[in-house]
Amino acid sequence: MARRRSRPAAARPVRSLRPALLLLLVVAGAALALSAWLRPIDGDEGYYAAAAQLTADGARPYADYFYPQAPLLPYVYAPVVAVAGPSLRALRWLSVALACGTVLVWASYLVRTRRGGSWTKVAALALLACSPDVISWAVTVKTYALTGLLSSLGLVALARGLESGAGRRWLVGAGAALG
């Protein structure tokens, strides 16, 4: 009877990592939501909310109103304004969702990557999710949450494209997210 050889630890699927990362996602989401609810209004949030309102009303950045940032943000926030009205709270909830998406992107990548130990991955995600800068700034109606999500998507797609054999598709996705 042939003995069954166990795989080395690095090649085993990381099943015990998923509950810890899921718990971190829940904690990060709760911390972000609480911060969005309690954080005072920042001076620039009204400007970004007004740009979203103008875009929801059909105006275009640069052509119809002055907007010194990249044009994607008003288009992302405009549907929330169209549904909920010019509510800063509703726009902040979108920022919370985008910030949670960033944490989810990194959690998904960490589950799939073969580098590093399980607790190193949990610690890396905890450092991101519990960063005071993420908790205090990613919940505002500013560029931080969207930029964090798109940058993370781009970096993860770039890493996946360089690691996998079918890299062209991932590299195109990385270029789109980073662009």
Side-chain angles (χ1 to χ4, degrees):
M1 176 155 69
R3 280 182 69 189
R4 197 168 170 193
R5 297 182 74 200
S6 66
R7 291 187 279 180
R12 284 190 204 126
V14 187
R15 294 197 197 318
S16 63
L17 183 61
R18 288 190 177 138
L21 292 178
L22 183 61
L23 178 64
L24 264 172
L25 285 169
V26 170
V27 168
L32 289 165
L34 183 64
S35 178
W37 186 259
L38 297 176
R39 188 186 193 289
I41 295 172
D42 189 71
D44 292 341
E45 284 185 282
Y47 180 78
Y48 291 103
Q53 175 70 50
L54 288 168
T55 304
D57 291 340
R60 295 168 299 155
Y62 313 126
D64 299 323
Y65 64 92
F66 175 73
Y67 189 70
Q69 301 285 340
L72 183 60
L73 187 88
Y75 289 106
V76 170
Y77 283 84
V80 173
V81 172
V83 171
S87 165
L88 200 57
R89 286 248 189 253
L91 293 172
R92 277 195 174 183
W93 291 123
L94 177 57
S95 293
V96 168
L98 294 171
C100 287
T102 301
V103 176
L104 182 63
V105 164
W106 285 111
S108 173
Y109 177 72
L110 289 172
V111 165
R112 287 182 170 79
T113 188
R114 297 185 188 266
R115 296 186 190 126
S118 295
W119 293 109
T120 305
K121 295 174 182 182
V122 170
L125 190 65
L127 285 173
L128 170 68
C130 298
S131 167
D133 289 334
V134 170
I135 291 173
S136 65
W137 287 107
V139 299
T140 59
V141 183
K142 290 184 161 191
T143 60
Y144 303 121
L146 181 61
T147 303
L149 178 61
L150 291 174
S151 298
S152 296
L153 284 170
L155 290 172
V156 167
L158 180 63
R160 295 287 305 266
L162 294 174
E163 293 169 353
S164 70
R168 182 170 294 172
R169 179 176 46 135
W170 285 104
L171 295 175
V172 169
L178 292 173

